[in-house]
Amino acid sequence: MSAPIARVDNGQDPYKWLERRDAPDVLDYLKAENAYLEQQLADQAELRETLFQEIKGRIRETDLSLPSPWGPWLYYQRTTAGDEYPRHYRCPRPADGSLTVDENAEQLLLDPNELAGGGFLSLGAFSVSQDHSKLAYSLDTQGDEIYRLFVKDLVSGEVTALPFDDCDGSMVWTNDNQTLFFGELDDTHRPHKIHRHRLGSEGRSEVYHDPDGRYFVHCYRASSERQLVILSNSKTTSEAWVLPADEPEGRWTCLAPREENHEYYPDHGRLDGQWCWFVRSNQTGINFALYQAAESAPQREHWQELVAHRNKVMLEDISLNASALTLSLREAGLPIIEVRPQNGAAYRLQLPDAAYSLHVQNTLEFDSPVIRLRYEALNRPAQIRQLQLADGGQQVLKETPVEGSFDADAYESRRIWATAADGTQVPISLVGRREAFGKAAPLYLYGYGAYGHSLDPWFSHARLSLLDRGFIFAIAHVRGGGDLGEAWYRAGKLEHKTNTFGDFIACAEKLIADGHTTPQRLAISGGSAGGLLIGAVLNQRPELFAVAIAEVPFVDVLNTMLNEELPLTVTEYDEWGNPNEPDVHARIKAYAPYENVQTQAYPAILAVAGYNDSRVQYWEAAKWVAKLRASKTDSNLLLLKTELGAGHGGMSGRYQALKDAALEYAFVLKVFGLTDA
């Protein structure tokens, strides 16, 4: 079977015809590409199955999550072998304060396996009312991130479907246990309205609407459970409105009217015994400071500084409960937890690894003396740690198990630094079996570099299948991400976007120069905005890499940003710029992967798209692959897989995700000639 050849239309965009969603010839072309992929990888069927079984064999298929205490109940999830999704349960909370689950008294709250019926399913909201009598939940059954809303009576078991369309999936209870606030999407898939609905009534009442296409709107409960917050924010500016949770039909109060480039994020808690607002704001510096205001006077003119702006420390988030204020910081490229007890001296957590991922996973009930942290490293499975806020004592409550023979000490984690063209030092995190270092190994390099998202090192059960075959895995912490704070992000967006690509190339060159790998043994990977990164560096330095994987890749960035009718385009102007402005158009066109496909040799490429993806349209990958196939001068594999029943996150079930990983790893092993490994 020969590779599918896409027809070429006249005009500036030769493959624009692939944008005709649901057209028979488009679907036929995508199916032909899928068939070609399977034909080209047919000799790997046994290897793919071996990889799938390896990965599945490391995962504890039947397991119980760590229960969360709330009121009279413990809430938890249980996974069962053979099921794609975890089931949600609760049982009465033990009187002795333990987390022991009583299976004989447990109540099944929701079974996504039954609701999925073998198809796609994504659970959005899962929100229990304050009196624990009702469950509000939302479901996406297509992968397009449009949700249907449901309320389940936890006493009778009756389920009511709410008669509202185009919902973003959010659902927030008020304290009367009868009223819900939920979000609505506009025609461009942007959450733009918040509605109020009282159970038993037929309609809804609009309480907030933001017509500005740059802003996303959502509603949440404050940590204290006493206040509700509507936050409307673009990528550079925010505005918040608040309402007592006991007054669902009350009047919302604005904390600070929007002011361009002022971002602020409020939460509600207690300080020195008094209810008050805590506001994380960048009004005095890009790394954010923390302010406090009385509950009765939350407006900006009443804010008082609690934690000053620091030039080298990013205040990423705050977590509140009655016992302490917990700061999530980023310093020297690493996440830091700093705790300020209500009574006692502040302290920072001490951790065992040089490079790691750490965040507050759950603050539990507001009056809890403990919180839960999630901690992991490239060679250390995720741990849920309980932190005693008063004195900093830590206890590992649960470690994600790795079934079979696994020894964390057999793997070594390192952090090195590459030097970019402008002299900037760019961190790289690496992991491999100890014997893989000191020689040129096959190496898998991952990158992202957008939206200020940090790629803190994470553990992967699937990745062990590469490491145990002699691979080194590396993360390039390039500019555009948030790995070294807000300045690092800003240095890789808008007019500085090309720094992201230069940093990634510098990381690849550093790994080669240090003898960790060679261009013939270097695989690269990225998804979504990371797919744009992959597409850009392939155009610039194709000889540097042997194989590339681009998942839901944002490679048609110029045409997408010119089409304001597409979901989310206008909101992206703050990240990429508005190409309706001539200088921005020229800037984006100069690096956009689709526009810059060259008549040259490219490495082997696997592109994966989701047909129902509302963030990165399926045709971006399809058009890019079509243009590459018509332009490239080599005979290396070029494959496109379109998941016809999935969206931005791929297929929804856990086993399908493992099969997708097995496919990608087998593709890399095939290119490297390691199929017998």
Side-chain angles (χ1 to χ4, degrees), residues 422-473:
D422 62 359
T424 299
Q425 295 294 293
V426 183
I428 310 170
S429 298
L430 301 90
V431 67
R433 294 190 68 89
R434 294 187 181 278
E435 61 269 23
F437 290 97
K439 58 186 177 183
L443 192 145
Y444 189 108
L445 176 62
Y446 185 82
Y448 187 71
Y451 305 111
H453 176 70
S454 300
L455 288 181
D456 291 326
W458 72 96
F459 181 83
S460 166
H461 290 75
R463 187 192 301 139
L464 295 176
S465 285
L466 291 181
L467 303 186
D468 289 348
R469 286 172 169 80
F471 275 71
I472 293 172
F473 175 83

Side-chain angles (χ1 to χ4, degrees), residues 164-195:
F164 309 124
D165 298 321
D166 298 324
C167 298
D168 70 354
S170 64
M171 302 177 77
V172 179
W173 289 102
T174 64
N175 287 350
D176 67 358
N177 307 300
Q178 295 293 319
T179 304
L180 285 163
F181 289 97
F182 66 92
E184 178 191 290
L185 301 169
D186 67 9
D187 292 339
T188 67
H189 215 83
R190 176 182 67 94
H192 71 134
K193 289 183 179 179
I194 299 295
H195 295 278

Side-chain angles (χ1 to χ4, degrees), residues 310 321 323-329 336-351 358 369-371 373 386-394:
R310 288 173 277 188
N321 69 11
S323 302
L325 165 64
T326 303
L327 307 180
S328 295
L329 310 173
I336 304 292
I337 295 292
E338 182 175 296
V339 181
R340 301 190 174 202
Q342 290 281 5
N343 299 299
Y347 59 88
R348 288 188 173 188
L349 301 193
Q350 300 300 311
L351 298 161
L358 174 70
V370 298
I371 61 174
L373 310 174
Q386 180 170 281
L387 175 67
Q388 196 74 33
L389 292 165
D391 58 14
Q394 297 182 50

Side-chain angles (χ1 to χ4, degrees), residues 571-626:
T571 66
E572 296 289 296
Y573 287 163
D574 289 330
E575 182 75 18
W576 314 102
N578 182 351
N580 294 299
E581 301 170 9
D583 58 330
V584 177
H585 186 283
R587 186 175 75 224
I588 296 176
K589 187 176 182 179
Y591 68 73
Y594 179 61
E595 271 71 26
N596 288 281
V597 169
Q598 305 294 319
T599 302
Q600 62 183 3
Y602 283 87
I605 299 171
L606 170 62
V608 181
Y611 190 66
N612 297 324
D613 192 340
S614 61
R615 303 190 191 194
V616 179
Q617 302 295 323
Y618 73 87
W619 61 70
E620 299 214 16
K623 291 167 59 178
W624 180 55
V625 167

